[in-house]
Amino acid sequence: MTWLIIGLIMFHGLHSFRMIAPQWRSARIASMGEGPWKGAYSIASVIAFVVLVWGYYQASQDFDYLYTPPAWGRHLAYLLMALSFVSLMVFNLKPGILKPALDHPFLLAVILWSIAHLLVNGTLASTLLFGSFLIWAILNRISVARRDAPLPARGPVSNDIMAVVSGLVLWFLFIWKLHYWLFGVAPLG
């Protein structure tokens, strides 16, 4: 469990600079330059991600249950994950109507992903992992709202159609095989 907690602190800490220390982050970018900052940030993020994954793998070997997931949770999780993948693709593709409407579709995707996984996993390790991402994404959305960052300009609906279709295709691929190949867990049982 120790490595999971260290990984979570590292990962969320790195991804919270803009929220909790924006002046420090801006000063580092100004002194280092944007390229070196992004390079150092990327390397640190990869290291934190590896520690997080390793820690979760280690901690998930203990089946310490905090709660029993509801029987209906699996069905709702499928729907939430479909919406999460669509939101992720809205974030990654050119704006249509959905991107400005969702305000920050990446954080919405993380929130939906976290809730979906909390609905089907009741172990201590899973609760720490997905619960911490849920809290981080909610706090980050609040932070983004306070920054009053400009929303992207609306684009054609065809961009939304592409995001919805590609998100649903990705969702299907994850349910079909990718989730099992990547994580060793088959969502359909």
Side-chain angles (χ1 to χ4, degrees), residues 54-78:
W54 173 251
Y56 181 71
Y57 173 76
Q58 292 295 315
S60 66
Q61 303 305 306
D62 298 327
F63 292 100
D64 298 328
Y65 279 88
L66 292 180
Y67 61 93
T68 302
W72 50 265
R74 179 173 300 276
H75 303 293
L76 182 55
Y78 293 140

Side-chain angles (χ1 to χ4, degrees), residues 15 58 61 88 99 102 107 113 132 142 144 150 152 158 167 182:
H15 290 86
Q58 292 295 315
Q61 303 305 306
L88 181 65
K99 196 169 210 169
L102 295 177
L107 293 174
W113 170 82
S132 71
I142 293 167
V144 167
S158 59
L182 292 171

Side-chain angles (χ1 to χ4, degrees), residues 56-114:
Y56 181 71
Y57 173 76
Q58 292 295 315
S60 66
Q61 303 305 306
D62 298 327
F63 292 100
D64 298 328
Y65 279 88
L66 292 180
Y67 61 93
T68 302
W72 50 265
R74 179 173 300 276
H75 303 293
L76 182 55
Y78 293 140
L79 173 63
L80 292 176
M81 285 307 301
L83 295 172
S84 177
F85 278 115
V86 168
S87 187
L88 181 65
M89 295 313 292
V90 166
F91 170 74
N92 281 306
L93 299 177
K94 291 180 181 177
I97 296 170
L98 289 175
K99 196 169 210 169
L102 295 177
D103 194 18
H104 203 304
F106 177 76
L107 293 174
L108 178 59
V110 173
I111 289 168
L112 294 170
W113 170 82
S114 300

Side-chain angles (χ1 to χ4, degrees), residues 136-150:
W136 173 84
I138 290 170
L139 292 175
N140 210 331
R141 271 197 70 110
I142 293 167
S143 174
V144 167
R146 287 186 179 162
R147 283 196 298 257
D148 287 329

Side-chain angles (χ1 to χ4, degrees), residues 42-59:
S42 296
I43 290 168
S45 293
V46 168
I47 292 168
F49 183 72
V50 168
V51 172
L52 175 61
V53 169
W54 173 251
Y56 181 71
Y57 173 76
Q58 292 295 315

